[in-house]
Amino acid sequence: MKLLSIVVPCYNSQEYMRYSIESLLPGGECVEILIVNDGSVDQTAEIANEYARKYPTIIKAIHQENGGHGEAVNAGIRNATGTYFKVVDSDDWVDTRAYLKILNALEKFVAEEQSVDMFISNFVYEKEGAKYKKVMKYENVLLEGEIFTWDDIKRFRKGQYLLMHSVIYRTQILRECGLELPKHTFYVDNLYVYQPLAHVKKIFYLNVDFYRYFIGREDQSVNERVMIKRIDQQIKVNKLMIEQVDVNDIYHPKLREYMLHHLEIVTVVSAILLIRSGTKENLIKKKELWKYIKDRDHELYHEIRYGMMGHLMNLPGRAGRSISVGAYKISQKVVGFN
């Protein structure tokens, strides 16, 4: 059994996938790299096969019909043989020194028969053209260098939450929680990092800047213009987060608080993008989203809608929407996203 399985979802990734894969090779034989070619029509398949031939004990090329990012991750989970599981997107990369430290820690867990369900590290927004690189750290909320539980976490700041880039899961956790990401849907990373949390008991945080999250390409899924174009998929994921996990059933108050916090952020992003689009149709969709939450779970609606961020996203009239957009732009500068 491998120590760590890393899935690299690839769709028409010929221009940048080599850099991503090369950053993962220092893991050596304790790692398996699963390159999932998701129906690409460029040279992605050939590049994946080239690496699989060159590193047959480390790299496996998986070819499938186009199913979207989520289905590529699903394929990785189905094929993984590693004790732990990580997703690295084909336009991102990892820091070598942090990578080796993480592998050493994972190796120690296995050697000492310690079961850690979720391993957390920092990620860096590698924003194109930005002089200052924002780092998402968790030292203010998580214990460092020791195994802990939800009892030990502190309160996350606004705009601070776990992303796919932050986490390494124990592979079996992903299978036990029944995670199955929807096909042909963007923004499923929120589901990936949210749905398994109720099954996570033991956590470890290593304060290293491991994952380098490239952001800034015009065609990138998190580009604001692209997100507005795909707003229905953002809303779909938003609703699936509510449907897949009933926060009222979460056994631990601190975990429930965090999951509400994460859900609030995703809902606010949905709302502000609908406002930013400037169309009457999308303003109607914004009202429909809040109505959906209210009809499904009135308590959840009250907690999200009447929190600080919920109030800010629902100020009345054109002037109110301008204030909402202004607050969003400030948060963009502070957090560094989009």
Side-chain angles (χ1 to χ4, degrees):
M1 179 179 278
K2 292 281 189 174
L3 178 64
L4 176 65
S5 296
I6 303 173
V7 62
V8 184
C10 296
Y11 176 70
N12 292 347
S13 304
Q14 65 177 25
E15 300 299 327
Y16 37 77
M17 61 187 287
R18 289 182 185 276
Y19 191 76
S20 179
I21 295 164
E22 291 287 343
S23 78
L24 300 172
L25 287 173
E29 293 294 334
C30 68
V31 169
E32 70 171 354
I33 303 169
L34 305 171
I35 306 173
V36 180
N37 165 39
D38 187 48
S40 301
V41 294
D42 63 357
Q43 296 299 307
T44 293
E46 288 80 358
I47 295 170
N49 289 335
E50 173 196 325
Y51 273 100
R53 286 193 300 269
K54 191 173 182 181
Y55 302 97
T57 61
I58 299 174
I59 294 179
K60 180 179 180 181
I62 300 169
H63 303 282
Q64 63 183 30
E65 292 183 3
N66 180 255
H69 186 265
E71 183 59 18
V73 174
N74 291 338
I77 296 171
R78 287 193 295 267
N79 287 275
T81 65
T83 305
Y84 294 93
F85 186 86
K86 177 70 180 172
V87 180
V88 176
D89 286 335
S90 60
D91 52 352
D92 299 333
W93 63 95
V94 302
D95 177 83
T96 301
R97 285 179 294 181
Y99 185 25
L100 296 177
K101 287 179 181 179
I102 287 172
L103 290 174
N104 285 337
L106 295 177
E107 198 168 33
K108 185 178 178 182
F109 297 151
V110 173
E112 296 178 357
E113 298 183 347
Q114 294 179 306
S115 180
V116 171
D117 301 320
M118 182 170 66
F119 189 110
I120 299 169
S121 56
N122 309 327
F123 68 89
V124 181
Y125 286 99
E126 292 283 351
K127 190 168 185 178
E128 196 169 73
K131 293 181 180 179
Y132 172 71
K133 297 186 188 303
K134 174 71 178 180
V135 182
M136 184 66 82
K137 292 178 176 282
Y138 305 98
E139 58 193 349
N140 62 310
V141 286
L142 305 177
L143 296 178
E144 294 184 42
E146 61 180 284
I147 297 172
F148 60 91
T149 69
W150 295 113
D151 287 324
D152 303 306
I153 71 168
K154 297 176 184 177
R155 181 167 291 183
F156 283 71
R157 295 189 300 262
K158 295 293 181 187
Q160 181 188 38
Y161 58 115
L162 300 173
L163 282 186
M164 181 181 273
H165 319 314
S166 321
V167 301
I168 295 172
Y169 283 120
R170 187 163 58 84
T171 308
Q172 195 57 29
I173 284 285
L174 297 176
R175 292 170 177 159
E176 287 172 359
C177 78
L179 182 69
E180 183 77 15
L181 299 176
K183 293 183 178 181
H184 302 295
T185 306
F186 286 90
Y187 316 119
V188 294
D189 50 321
N190 280 303
L191 273 173
Y192 175 86
V193 80
Y194 184 82
Q195 186 179 332
L197 291 181
H199 297 259
V200 168
K201 302 294 188 293
K202 293 184 179 179
I203 310 163
F204 189 90
Y205 170 54
L206 192 61
N207 189 4
V208 292
D209 300 343
F210 172 47
Y211 195 102
R212 322 303 282 209
Y213 174 30
F214 179 77
I215 189 166
R217 276 202 337 268
E218 284 298 311
D219 63 340
Q220 203 168 12
S221 63
V222 293
N223 176 282
E224 183 178 281
R225 175 182 52 80
V226 176
M227 288 190 77
I228 290 172
K229 185 178 177 182
R230 295 172 178 161
I231 190 61
D232 288 341
Q233 295 181 52
Q234 167 73 16
I235 293 171
K236 177 182 177 179
V237 169
N238 202 156
K239 289 180 177 179
L240 281 171
M241 290 173 71
I242 294 168
E243 293 165 8
Q244 298 287 8
V245 181
D246 186 344
V247 291
N248 298 312
D249 291 340
I250 300 300
Y251 71 98
H252 198 288
K254 287 190 175 182
L255 173 57
R256 182 180 185 277
E257 181 183 23
Y258 170 75
M259 295 185 77
L260 275 171
H261 170 73
H262 192 139
L263 188 57
E264 178 188 36
I265 289 171
V266 172
T267 306
V268 164
V269 169
S270 298
I272 196 67
L273 290 172
L274 289 165
I275 292 171
R276 289 281 279 166
S277 73
T279 69
K280 289 182 179 180
E281 179 189 4
N282 280 343
L283 291 178
I284 291 170
K285 287 181 180 180
K286 174 173 168 281
K287 289 182 180 179
E288 288 173 345
L289 175 60
W290 286 113
K291 185 178 185 302
Y292 165 84
I293 299 171
K294 186 177 183 179
D295 290 346
R296 183 173 182 88
D297 188 332
H298 193 271
E299 183 181 350
L300 176 65
Y301 168 79
H302 191 273
E303 290 186 271
I304 296 177
R305 171 62 180 82
Y306 295 104
M308 183 185 74
M309 295 171 76
H311 268 303
L312 198 55
M313 292 304 111
N314 289 279
L315 296 172
R318 185 176 295 177
R321 291 194 291 273
S322 296
I323 294 170
S324 299
V325 169
Y328 171 70
K329 288 182 176 179
I330 291 170
S331 67
Q332 282 181 311
K333 293 289 186 182
V334 173
V335 179
F337 59 86
N338 279 8

